[in-house]
Amino acid sequence: MDLIIAANWKMHKTTAETVDFCQALLQNESLFEGVKVLVCPPFTALPAASGVLRGSTIKLGAQNMHWEEQGAFTGEISASMLLELGVDYVIIGHSERRHLLGEDNRMIRLKVKTALESGLKPILCVGETETEREDDATEKVIKKQLVEALEGLTAENVHSLVVAYEPVWAIGTGKAASPADAETASSFIREVIRSIYGPKTESNVYIQYGGSVKADNIGSFAVLPSIHGALVGGASLEADSFGTLIQAARKAVIS
Ligand code: 13P
């Protein structure tokens, strides 16, 4: 299984900054062989990113979408609007949307379902808060997030699913999970998926780790048996250092 490394820029970068980043990242494209690289800019910068990245191996992702095809949903964006721009992936249920913007498992389920039915590959984010971790509730929380997000979906539906394990306490804090903790949580995610869909489907699902991933720690996550990549926030904002991070992951897996 290739690694899949995604840049989640959150609410960063104008269109002009996006063009500069994508052009700079493309300079190093040949060094990323064996890694699926994905850039997830804000909605407004998607058309520009799509233009620069067209024809390259670097894929485009969105950071959110609505589950309805169209309608009176002020401020929302549909799957077909994303597909029209050449978007392949969509991040769903990021903890910032869950905790700061009130997204719940029901909304996340509808989004995952629509994304899969539309041909977008969802990156479903799950992860516990610091309090949940201290209460020893990590597995309970992750299981609920997964089961409720996947309810009603068939093994066929989830063939292109990516799950990002992002412990909330590790996001933007500089305090990444230990590789051992990331592996424990990710193999538990695999166990839950296996119990619902069986081993074949589980083995096709990518799991990324996210939370304070940097060039100097990505290698220790990339080599873990249950994890195949990372969802990167802060360290994805500069093209050169993001390129270095991708190469570090690749080297760790090859060596
Ligand atoms: P940081 O890499 O900045 O911790 O953010 C992680 C994240 O939320 C990616 O989705």
Side-chain angles (χ1 to χ4, degrees), residues 12-237:
H12 291 283
K13 294 198 191 292
T14 62
T15 291
E17 290 163 346
T18 299
V19 169
D20 288 348
F21 178 105
C22 292
Q23 284 172 342
L25 193 66
L26 283 178
Q27 304 280 315
N28 289 322
E29 189 187 1
S30 61
L31 305 174
F32 305 155
E33 211 189 321
V35 182
K36 286 187 193 177
V37 178
L38 177 58
V39 177
C40 307
F43 288 133
T44 49
L46 284 169
S50 179
V52 178
L53 298 177
R54 186 167 301 130
S56 79
T57 56
I58 298 170
K59 301 289 180 201
L60 199 56
Q63 299 176 19
N64 181 34
M65 57 168 258
H66 196 271
W67 58 87
E68 292 289 349
E69 177 50 34
Q70 57 183 13
F73 302 104
T74 301
E76 294 293 331
I77 302 282
S78 74
S80 57
M81 294 171 189
L82 297 177
L83 287 163
E84 187 184 32
L85 296 176
V87 170
D88 278 308
Y89 291 82
V90 57
I91 298 171
I92 293 180
H94 191 279
S95 71
E96 285 146 18
R97 298 204 58 83
R98 291 178 190 263
H99 298 291
L100 303 175
L101 295 158
E103 218 167 87
D104 61 22
N105 285 337
R106 182 195 73 93
M107 294 156 87
I108 291 163
R109 172 172 75 244
L110 293 168
K111 291 180 183 199
V112 170
K113 185 167 187 287
T114 299
L116 289 165
E117 285 172 356
S118 312
L120 286 165
K121 299 177 181 71
I123 300 178
L124 168 63
C125 301
V126 298
E128 80 288 358
T129 62
E130 181 134 53
T131 314
E132 288 162 344
R133 175 179 155 88
E134 284 164 3
D135 290 347
D136 253 341
T138 299
E139 293 195 346
K140 188 171 148 233
V141 169
I142 293 175
K143 185 170 183 181
K144 184 171 162 66
Q145 289 172 335
L146 278 173
V147 168
E148 294 189 7
L150 300 177
E151 194 187 309
L153 292 171
T154 63
E156 237 166 274
N157 289 143
V158 301
H159 73 279
S160 57
L161 181 70
V162 179
V163 177
Y165 169 60
E166 296 208 307
V168 180
W169 48 269
I171 295 177
T173 59
K175 197 175 75 177
S178 69
D181 283 352
E183 174 60 24
T184 303
S186 302
S187 79
F188 177 72
I189 291 170
R190 293 203 168 278
E191 203 179 300
V192 174
I193 294 175
R194 198 160 51 238
S195 71
I196 307 174
Y197 297 111
K200 187 159 175 286
T201 303
E202 176 266 302
S203 66
N204 282 331
V205 170
Y206 277 93
I207 299 182
Q208 297 176 309
Y209 167 74
S212 298
V213 172
K214 306 269 181 296
D216 59 12
N217 65 13
I218 179 73
S220 59
F221 296 109
V223 296
L224 296 170
S226 297
I227 292 179
H228 295 89
L231 186 53
V232 187
S236 73
L237 290 170

